[in-house]
Amino acid sequence: MLKKKGLSLEEKRTRMLEIFFESKDVFQLKDIEKIAPKSKGITPMAVKEVLQSLVDDNMVDCERVGTSNYYWAFPSKALNTRKHKLEELKTQISESKRKKESLQKAVEAAKVGREDTNKRSSLLKELKGLREERTELLAELDKYRECDPEVVQEMRKSNVVAKEAVSRWTDNVFAIKSWTKKKFSFDENRINKAFGIPDDFDYMD
């Protein structure tokens, strides 16, 4: 036996509105929670959520009096809400049509001078060839960047800075070795071994 399919949210909303339209009365939540399951087949757990969705969409009015909320909705309000929604949709359709016409005009204007002629096809082919040639030349040029005088000059400057830095660190190493010899009376081999300094450690030429 097939399992009975539950109501969709829209079906629940429609049935709940029927409660208000048929009775033309004002209800509290507890009243709706009793009526909706029995007369409209809406599960008790879903009543509050469905009712709130109708309030959020301005299809059911809600007013707090004291500590209680009261809900009501009349057919005239629903009709006015639908009319207002219809006017909004008509405005959106009109705006969409205007945008579509504007875009079509822009497309037609962009086509001017781009007609598919033999001359245009030939020029496009030539342009493609020139772009490919440019890419190849740039790749070739990149191979010879190391020979570029400006690049070479920059490399020389970088080498000078690096060499000066190496010399400073070499000075520091010799200064530490000298201080260690005086402080602890260690011989040079012992210092080199302790600090991992090669025996041929010296300044760069």
Side-chain angles (χ1 to χ4, degrees), residues 41 69 75 120 151 156 161 202:
N69 287 329
R120 184 171 184 273
V151 175
R156 286 175 178 169
V161 173
D202 204 346

Side-chain angles (χ1 to χ4, degrees), residues 26-75:
V26 177
F27 300 95
Q28 288 183 270
L29 176 60
K30 61 183 180 181
D31 301 322
I32 301 295
E33 286 176 334
K34 290 177 182 177
I35 298 169
K38 291 180 181 179
S39 65
K40 299 299 178 182
I42 302 172
T43 58
M45 294 293 291
V47 170
K48 187 175 181 180
E49 180 186 353
V50 175
L51 182 58
Q52 187 58 50
S53 75
L54 292 170
V55 173
D56 292 341
D57 289 345
N58 202 31
M59 297 176 74
V60 171
D61 290 306
C62 177
E63 188 72 36
R64 189 172 186 84
V65 180
T67 58
S68 301
N69 287 329
Y70 290 86
Y71 302 88
W72 70 93
F74 302 113

Side-chain angles (χ1 to χ4, degrees), residues 7 54 69 127 152 175:
L7 298 173
L54 292 170
N69 287 329
L127 177 61
V152 172

Side-chain angles (χ1 to χ4, degrees), residues 18 28 43 65 67 83 88 92 100 106 117-118 141 162 203:
E18 289 174 356
Q28 288 183 270
T43 58
V65 180
T67 58
K83 284 182 177 179
E88 285 184 351
Q92 290 177 11
K100 181 182 177 183
T117 61
N118 290 335
L141 181 62
Y203 288 96

Side-chain angles (χ1 to χ4, degrees), residues 92-149:
Q92 290 177 11
I93 290 171
S94 178
E95 183 66 18
S96 295
K97 285 181 178 179
R98 189 190 65 76
K99 287 182 178 179
K100 181 182 177 183
E101 291 173 0
S102 177
L103 288 171
Q104 285 177 336
K105 289 179 181 178
V107 169
E108 292 301 321
K111 287 180 180 179
V112 176
R114 298 187 180 185
E115 294 81 1
D116 192 15
T117 61
N118 290 335
K119 184 177 180 181
R120 184 171 184 273
S121 297
S122 177
L123 289 172
L124 287 173
K125 187 176 181 180
E126 184 179 350
L127 177 61
K128 182 182 178 183
L130 289 171
R131 283 175 174 169
E132 290 175 353
E133 184 179 350
R134 178 177 179 273
T135 301
E136 291 174 2
L137 288 173
L138 287 174
E140 189 70 19
L141 181 62
D142 196 54
K143 292 179 182 178
Y144 298 103
R145 273 184 56 79
E146 294 181 1
C147 300
D148 187 328

Side-chain angles (χ1 to χ4, degrees), residues 73-85:
F74 302 113
S76 58
K77 177 179 176 63
L79 180 62
N80 289 332
T81 300
R82 289 192 183 96
K83 284 182 177 179
H84 181 67
K85 187 66 176 177

